[in-house]
Amino acid sequence: MLPESLPRPAAITPDAYATRRTALMARLPADAAVIMPGASLVTRSKDSEFAFRQNSDFHYLTGIVEPDALLLLLPGRDAGEAVVFCQDRDPLWEAWTGRRLGAAGMVAEHGVDEAFENAERESQLAALLEGREQLYVAFDDPEAMALAEQTYAAATGGRRGLPPVSGFHDVSPLIHAMRQRKTPDELALMRHAGEISARAHSRIMRACRPGLFEYQLQAELEHEFVWQGGSGPAYSTIVGGGANACVLHYVENSAPLNDGDLVLIDAGAEFDLYAGDITRTFPVSGRFTAPQRELYDVVLKALENAVAAIGPGATLNGIHQNVVRDMTAGLIELGLLSGSVDERVADSSYRRFYLHATSHWLGLDVHDVGNYRRADGTPLPLEPGMVLTVEPGLYIPDAEDIPEAYRATGIRIEDDVAVTADGHEVLTAGVPKQAADIEALMANQ
Ligand code: GLY
Ligand code: MN
Ligand code: MN
């Protein structure tokens, strides 16, 4: 039987993209120009390419899905502030690689003010950049920097000489601060990415049994992502059975799944470029052993306490400190650490078992953009619209000083959480995480 199809949420409208461009330009001086290239196709091998993935900042400001586009934002320009260069219309290329919107299509479908095809870049750029002394470019994007420098040199070279370096500014912090606070239309897409991801995880809980290979669970997950209209995984899917769960970014997914082991799955769908990011850990056979359950419940309790505390004013740093304390208390209770919670937190010995941060921002990128601290170095307080993950994990080494029943066990549980005006919304609640609920789902299939 084919899986059920979920309704698709509304796409972000051209007007919404225009509102973002206007908000960005409102923060720029009158003589500014933003120069932002979109992504290009990347060769996979010989003449085949990786699937196209638009640059997230470019997407955020335009919604344009074609490669090799360039956005100029020119505040105050009478003939139009948002100008796009795009692939040339070319019937022969379009017969091979698909329809290109061309300049007229970019204006009609994406609501930019003016568009040119790339063949006109050289002849148009000089005039467009006339009088623009402050160039805003993504400093962490070498291609964007090179293009901006060449563009500016070409535009100004013969007439005014090269600009002083002080004329270049990093546009990224301005855009990333906007991206950090999601609007309701973005949250609808993220809710959908979370829901698809949760359905995929539920699906593999039902499918799992000893003797399957890790890649077969990956195939089940990714089928659901694409079936529901996602582009695929938002990052490389991790399916780690047994000791493989202790490798944080295990992506080989090649081993058989063994009776008696846990399997850790970290996978999320990308939908309209927004990421879901879920981890669940469950027994291959459908039943936790008692020691597995003891460890599992330490992680689960830390996650539940952390999520309960999320709301405006909380900080990622505070969430992490509480998770560290909860997990350290659990490790002491199980005899994996000794002494007091304060002592073991102070000497960082918990890090033998929990070595990563609890949260990261989530959005168009799985490890999304945005500051974690304010300019004065203090942790940034959460605000409505921010979306974060909560992902405590315990990774118990295969070491002689560890009770055998706990050795080589990796457990992580991860949910995606949006901050709301009065608390939070868990975007990935659709897949169980209580041990008893997981066992019930796996038993009923
Ligand atoms: N899958 C990457 C992460 O959870 O951060
Ligand atoms: Mn994550
Ligand atoms: Mn993850």
Side-chain angles (χ1 to χ4, degrees), residues 297-310:
D297 282 344
V298 171
V299 181
L300 181 64
K301 189 171 151 205
L303 173 88
E304 288 178 332
N305 289 343
V307 171
I310 292 175

Side-chain angles (χ1 to χ4, degrees), residues 235 266 277 360 367 391 414:
Y235 54 92
D266 185 345
D277 183 8
H360 55 80
H367 295 163
E391 48 184 301
E414 177 177 26

Side-chain angles (χ1 to χ4, degrees), residues 222-234:
E222 295 182 5
H223 182 275
E224 185 73 27
F225 296 165
V226 178
W227 179 262
Q228 301 295 357
S231 56

Side-chain angles (χ1 to χ4, degrees), residues 92-163:
L92 186 58
W93 269 112
E94 290 179 55
W96 284 95
T97 59
R99 180 172 164 253
R100 297 174 172 185
L101 283 178
M106 286 289 161
V107 173
E109 292 204 17
H110 292 292
V112 293
D113 299 313
E114 197 171 14
F116 302 94
E117 290 169 23
N118 283 335
E120 291 189 85
R121 270 199 201 190
E122 225 168 280
S123 60
Q124 294 294 339
L125 273 173
L128 287 164
L129 291 172
E130 179 76 47
R132 302 279 163 185
E133 300 287 344
Q134 313 290 330
L135 287 203
Y136 284 77
V137 189
F139 280 10
D140 63 353
D141 180 346
E143 265 180 59
M145 286 299 287
L147 181 83
E149 280 167 16
Q150 286 159 18
T151 301
Y152 204 81
T156 61
R159 294 173 294 120
R160 287 184 293 174
L162 295 179

Side-chain angles (χ1 to χ4, degrees), residues 234-374:
Y235 54 92
S236 297
T237 295
I238 296 168
V239 182
N244 293 337
C246 294
V247 180
L248 294 181
H249 285 168
Y250 174 79
V251 291
E252 288 86 348
N253 301 350
S254 55
L257 295 165
N258 298 317
D259 200 359
D261 281 351
L262 296 177
V263 57
L264 180 154
I265 287 133
D266 185 345
E270 182 182 73
F271 187 86
D272 272 5
L273 278 73
Y274 286 86
D277 183 8
I278 298 182
T279 308
R280 290 291 184 268
T281 308
F282 55 87
V284 170
S285 67
R287 301 284 300 178
F288 286 89
T289 65
Q292 287 169 349
R293 178 73 190 263
E294 287 164 3
L295 291 169
Y296 187 87
D297 282 344
V298 171
V299 181
L300 181 64
K301 189 171 151 205
L303 173 88
E304 288 178 332
N305 289 343
V307 171
I310 292 175
T315 67
L316 266 52
N317 190 50
I319 292 165
H320 180 65
Q321 296 310 328
N322 288 337
V323 163
V324 163
R325 291 191 71 79
D326 281 347
M327 302 250 274
T328 302
L331 289 164
I332 291 169
E333 210 163 294
L334 296 183
L336 289 163
L337 290 175
S338 56
S340 72
V341 172
D342 285 341
E343 286 166 345
R344 295 297 75 85
V345 171
D347 70 8
S348 297
S349 46
Y350 69 87
R351 290 183 60 85
R352 185 180 184 203
F353 306 104
Y354 180 43
L355 64 163
H356 57 75
T358 299
S359 300
H360 55 80
W361 305 124
L362 186 70
L364 288 170
D365 289 292
V366 65
H367 295 163
D368 207 29
V369 294
N371 288 332
Y372 287 84
R373 294 188 174 271
R374 294 190 280 211

